[in-house]
Amino acid sequence: MDRRAFLKAMMASYGVTTSPHLLASKLASSSALLDSSSFSDYRTVVCIFLKGGCDSLPLIVPNQFDDYKRYADLRQHLVYSQEDAVLLNPANRSDLDVSFAGIGADLANMFEDGLLSIISNVGPLVEPVVKQSIENGSPVPKFLSSHSDQSTLWAAGTGIRGTTTGWGGRLNELLRSSNAAMPSNISITGINQFTQGAESPSFVIDSLQPQILNAIDSESGGLVDNPFTGAYLALRERQQSLFGAEYQRTLDSAIENNALLREAIANTEELEIDYDYSSNEAGVLADRLKIAARLIQIAPDIGHKRQILYINMYDYDTHDRQVDTMPQLIGGLGKNIRAFIDGLKLRGVDENAVVFTQSEFGRTLTINGDGTDHGWGGHQFIAGTPVKGGQIIGDLPRLELDTEDAWSNMIIPQFSIEQYGAQLARWMGVSQGYMTDLFGNYGSFDDIDMDLFR
């Protein structure tokens, strides 16, 4: 008996397809859900989380002399030179005279090519605030300088603590597919909150290839004749508690889904695309984007009308050595997003995917000697063929102390996570009436259409 037939037979004989309490929960909430099976197209959003807190605000370099001098006085030896910067010509703004730091030349070139837009100054908010309202007692998110707390808020899609699911996971459940062969909320980084749903945990795969349980099955598709297989079969024959049955159901699902995924990915090709491997951080991102591209290509084969993919890129916590690390990080980010889009074009699926960034916070206006400390608001990037690129959305904050944009050496966010995430949710097919199901605090903010997509 081959592996897949064995697994299906075992699951059928075990009599477990979904647990009663999960099924009841799904049926109870079905009236609030959409069915992506009815969509006529395939779409994927790819979240790249810049872990550590990306110092993104100073990447936009002022061209006017006075503005640049204030910027340079603040950033000192960490300032980005005007000579190396790439001039930006925003398609939606005639009032801005800015360039992009030379370390992000690939990001700037995608901007000029109409493949990337910049959303200015996004961050977690409890409600809209300005400097004066904060000083008068308006609430701000708790523990603004905490990596773990701010990462949780970004993943949850809210500035209010306590949400255990992620907005990517909730988006997946809102856009459920009734005929998908496997989950479509996929992490290529490990278990994380962003893709975690109330009823559908993250489906985690390796950045190089889906894994098999070598103790149970083999590359050739058959059962392995060893003691582990015997133990596995013996366990399957035992009467189990409800908890044990649920655990076994999860194990069965993971084994079967990985088998299906390996088979589908085997039908795709490894393309000769020039990804950046000049640093460890860039190389890890490259490997993860490569598997993301193949997942997007096989989406129709595995019944995914809507996919949510999650990737981490590490080491943006630049308290020191920022002058050395940021060129590698931002350079690798830009080169690999460009390579990813180029690869999607060769696969014929570039119209189906959008890449966007998140990061727990921007960094402080001032430097600490050899780096920067934890801030609040920061710029985010959204890229892909469907993106109406070359835009800077929102007002650029002044990179100065003692302005209305700054509070306690940090820039106050202009847009909330909810407002930012809603743009991607709309592109995925979520109508306005469902936004509060996706983002519980959405009603606290103005409903904004950033006009990001073609």
Side-chain angles (χ1 to χ4, degrees), residues 72-134:
D73 288 346
L74 199 63
R75 304 296 288 190
Q76 300 179 42
H77 68 285
L78 295 183
V79 71
Y80 299 114
S81 72
Q82 287 180 311
E83 290 75 17
D84 295 335
V86 180
L87 179 66
L88 297 181
N89 299 285
N92 65 327
R93 303 287 294 272
S94 60
D95 59 325
L96 296 178
D97 187 10
V98 294
S99 297
F100 201 94
I103 65 169
D106 285 279
L107 292 172
N109 290 336
M110 281 189 284
F111 182 94
E112 291 300 304
D113 291 344
L115 289 172
L116 178 144
S117 283
I118 301 165
I119 294 81
S120 174
N121 193 16
V122 187
L125 292 166
V126 176
E127 61 184 39
V129 292
V130 295
K131 184 175 184 176
Q132 188 63 53
S133 68
I134 294 173

Side-chain angles (χ1 to χ4, degrees), residues 2-14:
D2 68 31
R3 177 186 56 192
R4 293 186 65 197
F6 166 79
L7 291 171
K8 288 180 177 179
M10 288 301 296
M11 282 185 276
S13 65
Y14 198 63

Side-chain angles (χ1 to χ4, degrees), residues 251-402:
L251 177 61
D252 287 338
S253 176
I255 295 171
E256 176 67 6
N257 285 334
N258 273 277
L260 293 171
L261 191 57
R262 283 179 65 88
E263 182 176 312
I265 286 180
N267 294 323
T268 67
E269 296 182 13
E270 183 72 44
L271 301 179
E272 293 296 326
I273 301 292
D274 189 20
Y275 281 91
D276 180 20
Y277 284 89
S278 62
S279 69
N280 181 65
E281 295 82 9
V284 170
L285 176 63
D287 286 337
R288 291 170 176 171
L289 286 172
K290 284 180 179 180
I291 195 67
R294 296 171 90 161
L295 286 169
I296 294 165
Q297 183 179 350
I298 66 172
D301 300 326
I302 55 180
H304 286 179
K305 290 295 187 74
R306 295 294 185 267
Q307 283 179 329
I308 295 91
L309 307 183
Y310 178 84
I311 296 170
N312 264 356
M313 185 181 183
Y314 289 91
D315 285 348
Y316 283 86
D317 194 17
T318 51
H319 289 285
D320 53 27
R321 299 186 62 250
Q322 182 164 327
V323 71
D324 299 319
T325 56
M326 277 296 281
Q328 295 178 338
L329 293 168
I330 297 300
L333 177 69
K335 289 176 183 176
N336 284 330
I337 290 177
R338 186 68 188 241
F340 177 68
I341 295 171
D342 289 344
L344 293 180
K345 289 181 179 178
L346 290 178
R347 295 179 188 277
V349 293
D350 59 300
E351 295 281 357
N352 303 87
V354 167
V355 182
F356 68 100
T357 62
Q358 296 189 157
S359 188
E360 53 261 57
F361 36 64
R363 304 190 76 83
T364 50
L365 288 168
T366 57
I367 66 174
N368 62 20
D370 200 22
T372 50
D373 296 318
H374 302 172
W376 191 0
H379 298 322
Q380 302 300 333
F381 309 112
I382 183 165
T385 300
V387 173
K388 189 182 293 184
Q391 299 189 87
I392 295 178
I393 307 298
D395 296 323
L396 294 174
R398 290 171 292 172
L399 301 184
E400 305 172 39
L401 297 172
D402 301 321

Side-chain angles (χ1 to χ4, degrees), residues 4 11 18 36 163 170 234 274 281 409 424:
R4 293 186 65 197
M11 282 185 276
T18 189
S36 64
T163 303
R170 296 194 301 274
D274 189 20
E281 295 82 9
N409 201 17
L424 294 143

